[in-house]
Amino acid sequence: MTDNPIISVRGLVTRFGKHTVHDGLDLDVQRGEIIGIVGGSGTGKSVLLHAVVGLLKPAAGQITVFGESVRDTSAEDYRRLRKRWGVMFQDGALFSSLNVQQNVEAPMREQLDLSDETREALAAIKVRMVGLPEHALQKMPSELSGGMRKRAGFARAIALDPEIVFLDEPTAGLDPIGAAAFDELTAQLRRALGLTVFLVTHDLDSLHAICDRIAVLAEGRVLATGTMAQMQDVDHPWVQAYFKGPRARAALAQKEAV
Amino acid sequence: MTQGPVPQISLTDGVFVLEGDLLIGTIESLNLRQGLAQTIDLSRVAQFDTAGAWAVVTLERRLQDAGLSPRIIGASPLQTDLLATLRQNMPTKDGAGVMRMTLADRLDQLGRKTVSAFRTALAIIGFLGQTVATIAGLLLHPARIRWTAIVHHMQQVGLNAVPIVALMAFLIGVVLAFQGAAQLRQFGAEVFVVDLIAISILRELGILLTAIIVAGRSGSAFTAAIGSMKMREEIDAMRTLGLDPIEVLVAPRVIALILMLPVLGIIANFAGLLGGAIMSWIELGVSPGVFQSRLVGNTGVWHFGVGLIKAPFFALIIGIVGCFEGMQVGGDAESLGRLTSTSVVLSIFLVITADAMFSIFFAIVGV
């Protein structure tokens, strides 16, 4: 691990009306790692993701990605910054009026000046890389299953070969086999493309299988960070309940069996 | 993806040497179509992404097609992995690309569209039958009628539409009087403007324009409301609870519309006559008294009746089309928008068609 984190959050405070979601949150993400963000419902995991990619204005605090500030920056700088990451929202957030191919081509079309031929070939490659069959290219999002929509959303997120991908609950709502395949895909693409992955999840199996480090959100801040094994020793009731509950034991047993 | 050195390719001593950044933003400046060699050297490549790997694999494929067996040297482990991933995932010819339309395809499409138009027509008639049967059933068991919903929709489609309908009809009356006066003055027959206004508003325009406004205002609202419920599976939830969506959603809307459209039509008639009377007074000097006596004396009450008879039929068309299109909404947001617009266009079209048929019918029976 280097001393220069790729994402650095310092003293983040976010509020919705009178409700404070984050209260002085600090988080560092190192280049090339898969970090899993966990926390109970309503602890602001997705809000943190939105704040880091600049969709949400925090009440206070400093967020830097690649050493540059995400807010308080010129539109031009932000646009340049935005090209270097990809975001996959829950359920894919595909544009419903475009087919899969056009969805994956959309970032290339907006950001770069490529020939049709190159764009089509690259879109087809990305779609195949996320494990979708090639005939899915011409399908509309409404014709796809939930798992395929997530994969197509992932393909759009990596369309420009970003350095960081943000994944918001990628395995929620998938069957265990589909979820395991998605984890494997994430790990494989991380290896092939050298990605840094910011993974918001509830899925203990994902945490076991692919995350290098885990950050636990509770009480408006990051309660603990560390590997899965280190999480077992954190002395906090929620962390204990989460990582030592019946589901966590099952996930651990499964991992040891493999 | 910072833009670094421009990528270059050179062919020296049977080796393709690639240099610079092979990235998605720069890759198109490379010309990979010329020359043959056994070796591709990546050792001078600075940055490398999927697009770069794609270019290298494309070059490799071209050399293979030319009967060579190229080797790639100087690749880092990460680059080797990426190249391997790319080789697995290169697009095949049959998947991508847009199909060209042949004449046969176009004929095929025309046929499919024609058949689907007939199917839709049949489905709407089926839906009409279902709704009418449900409403008849409700009349037999009045305890099951949802009065709250009906009154709510009566307010939405009726009361809330009064200002716009009245204003529109008033202005149409003004326009008719103004235009009619200009023409009739040439014959010295100014006073006939009363007959012109009364007959055109009472017989046709009052109710027709009201129906068109209601179709745009309430028909679209029906489609959007029922459509978004369909999208969020609320309709399916209703069915599992033993509720009939036609009885719960469609019947109250259609009943409210059938009750309120005649009322709106009467209001439109009054507003139109008022507008006409005021304009005749200002423009032609036809006093309100003269207007009234001519209206009562020369215009048969059947003109009013003919207009009003049409109202419930127009209401049925607007309600059925609006609810039917809402039920056709699929899983995506785009179909909601498309069907809402279809609903308005189709109901206005059907209202005007029905109006034309009524005109023929009334001409035959002689009222």
Side-chain angles (χ1 to χ4, degrees):
Chain A
M1 275 187 207
T2 57
D3 290 326
N4 265 345
I6 193 165
I7 300 172
S8 156
V9 182
R10 286 285 169 271
L12 176 71
V13 179
T14 49
R15 282 196 197 94
F16 292 111
K18 285 187 177 168
H19 175 60
T20 303
V21 181
H22 302 127
D23 190 9
L25 182 145
D26 296 335
L27 179 69
D28 282 333
V29 181
Q30 305 298 333
R31 187 175 278 274
E33 73 174 342
I34 298 185
I35 186 160
I37 311 291
V38 299
S41 295
T43 50
K45 303 183 295 293
S46 296
V47 176
L48 175 63
L49 190 155
H50 281 74
V52 173
V53 299
L55 289 174
L56 190 117
K57 187 173 161 52
Q62 184 66 27
I63 299 171
T64 56
V65 181
F66 309 112
E68 293 180 53
S69 175
V70 173
R71 307 290 313 189
D72 319 318
T73 180
S74 69
E76 184 54 41
D77 283 345
Y78 180 60
R79 196 173 306 133
R80 200 165 36 71
L81 208 54
R82 206 176 45 192
K83 275 195 214 176
R84 299 173 64 185
W85 68 58
V87 187
M88 189 200 115
F89 292 95
Q90 281 186 42
D91 204 33
L94 298 174
F95 305 126
S96 58
S97 56
L98 302 178
N99 67 23
V100 171
Q101 179 179 356
Q102 290 162 336
N103 261 290
V104 178
E105 285 181 7
M108 306 185 203
R109 223 177 251 282
E110 292 308 310
Q111 312 278 359
L112 299 165
D113 189 22
L114 294 177
S115 69
D116 290 353
E117 197 188 337
T118 310
R119 212 171 40 225
E120 270 172 34
L122 287 174
I125 288 169
K126 297 285 152 123
V127 164
R128 286 187 54 139
M129 274 168 89
V130 297
L132 287 174
E134 227 166 300
H135 60 76
L137 279 168
Q138 304 301 331
K139 291 224 166 95
M140 300 304 285
S142 57
E143 298 172 297
L144 301 177
S145 70
M148 291 171 90
R149 271 207 296 276
K150 281 174 190 270
R151 280 165 187 266
F154 200 5
R156 190 178 67 185
I158 60 167
L160 294 178
D161 274 52
E163 291 161 61
I164 310 175
V165 280
F166 295 90
L167 305 177
D168 195 356
E169 307 217 11
T171 54
L174 294 187
D175 65 87
I177 300 168
F182 205 99
D183 287 342
E184 177 51 36
L185 173 70
T186 311
Q188 190 198 344
L189 289 178
R190 192 262 299 250
R191 276 198 304 277
L193 304 175
L195 295 172
T196 306
V197 181
F198 187 100
L199 178 70
V200 171
T201 189
H202 267 308
D203 190 338
L204 281 157
D205 291 318
S206 300
L207 294 173
H208 272 296
I210 57 170
C211 288
D212 302 314
R213 252 175 2 121
I214 293 162
V216 181
L217 256 61
E219 298 159 14
R221 57 200 174 84
V222 174
L223 208 64
T225 57
T227 61
M228 197 70 189
Q230 288 167 346
M231 284 299 126
Q232 309 287 329
D233 305 327
V234 175
D235 188 23
H236 184 276
W238 191 85
V239 181
Q240 289 287 318
Y242 191 90
F243 290 100
K244 290 196 171 166
R247 283 164 168 257
R249 278 199 296 276
L252 198 64
Q254 193 186 12
K255 186 164 192 204
E256 276 158 8
V258 171
Chain B
M1 250 168 297
T2 41
Q3 307 266 312
V6 178
Q8 281 175 353
I9 183 165
S10 54
L11 183 55
T12 43
D13 304 332
V15 179
F16 275 117
V17 181
L18 290 161
E19 284 177 84
D21 286 349
L22 269 67
L23 296 177
I24 190 167
T26 58
I27 200 71
E28 287 210 298
S29 58
L30 272 185
N31 179 8
L32 301 166
R33 299 239 160 92
Q34 275 165 14
L36 290 173
Q38 287 284 6
T39 314
I40 301 168
D41 184 358
L42 298 184
S43 55
R44 294 201 206 166
V45 170
Q47 294 191 64
F48 195 65
D49 69 0
T50 317
W54 169 69
V56 172
V57 174
T58 310
L59 176 63
E60 188 188 42
R61 289 270 164 96
R62 183 173 68 79
L63 297 176
Q64 280 167 350
D65 288 346
L68 300 171
S69 46
R71 282 185 313 125
I72 293 174
I73 58 167
S76 68
L78 193 69
Q79 290 171 347
T80 312
D81 278 357
L82 191 54
L83 286 170
T85 311
L86 254 285
R87 281 191 201 105
Q88 279 171 24
N89 293 313
M90 283 297 274
T92 50
K93 293 275 180 269
D94 50 293
V98 185
M99 301 281 190
R100 289 273 167 275
M101 287 265 283
T102 63
L103 183 64
D105 287 338
R106 282 173 203 280
L107 280 175
D108 178 81
Q109 258 191 4
L110 179 68
R112 277 173 204 283
K113 285 200 172 145
T114 313
V115 170
S116 93
F118 275 113
R119 289 230 172 97
T120 309
L122 275 181
I124 291 184
I125 293 170
F127 190 77
L128 171 71
Q130 247 183 320
T131 310
V132 170
T134 307
I135 292 176
L138 286 176
L139 293 178
L140 290 177
H141 304 279
R144 277 169 48 201
I145 298 179
R146 289 162 195 274
W147 291 110
T148 321
I150 292 179
V151 172
H152 168 77
H153 289 300
M154 281 170 75
Q155 180 180 355
Q156 294 286 322
V157 304
L159 193 60
N160 295 352
V162 167
I164 180 72
V165 165
L167 178 65
M168 176 236 21
F170 180 86
L171 292 176
I172 291 294
V174 167
V175 170
L176 275 179
F178 197 69
Q179 295 295 330
Q183 298 302 319
L184 292 171
R185 192 179 284 136
Q186 296 175 15
F187 310 103
E190 288 98 326
V191 81
F192 281 100
V193 81
V194 180
D195 304 61
L196 171 73
I197 293 167
I199 293 174
S200 54
I201 292 220
L202 293 181
R203 245 189 127 94
E204 290 293 337
L205 292 180
I207 193 63
L208 185 63
L209 292 173
T210 305
I212 289 173
I213 286 207
V214 169
R217 210 183 151 273
S218 304
S220 60
F222 289 178
T223 309
I226 293 179
S228 58
M229 292 173 93
K230 182 94 191 298
M231 252 165 65
R232 284 182 289 164
E233 298 185 315
E234 286 177 50
I235 309 272
D236 294 335
M238 254 177 214
R239 288 208 176 98
T240 60
L241 293 173
L243 296 167
D244 177 10
I246 304 238
E247 187 181 314
V248 179
L249 298 175
V250 180
R253 286 180 166 82
V254 172
I255 292 173
L257 210 50
I258 289 176
L259 292 175
M260 290 317 285
L261 198 62
V263 178
L264 287 175
I266 293 171
I267 292 171
N269 286 347
F270 273 106
L273 291 178
L274 182 68
I278 290 175
M279 203 60 206
S280 315
W281 194 16
I282 297 170
E283 184 68 16
L284 295 169
V286 179
S287 73
V290 175
F291 192 94
Q292 188 203 2
S293 63
R294 239 193 121 74
L295 181 65
V296 174
N298 279 26
T299 317
V301 75
W302 261 109
H303 291 305
F304 177 69
V306 162
L308 215 55
I309 284 172
K310 297 188 276 192
F313 293 94
F314 291 174
L316 192 63
I317 290 172
I318 295 166
I320 292 291
V321 171
C323 296
F324 173 80
E325 297 293 346
M327 288 290 195
Q328 303 306 303
V329 170
D332 58 328
E334 204 212 350
S335 72
L336 180 62
R338 186 164 42 81
L339 287 167
T340 307
S341 119
T342 309
S343 152
V344 174
V345 173
L346 186 62
S347 52
I348 290 177
F349 169 74
L350 288 178
V351 160
I352 292 176
T353 312
D355 191 52
M357 279 159 46
F358 271 115
S359 292
I360 297 169
F361 171 76
F362 287 127
I364 291 171
V365 298
V367 288

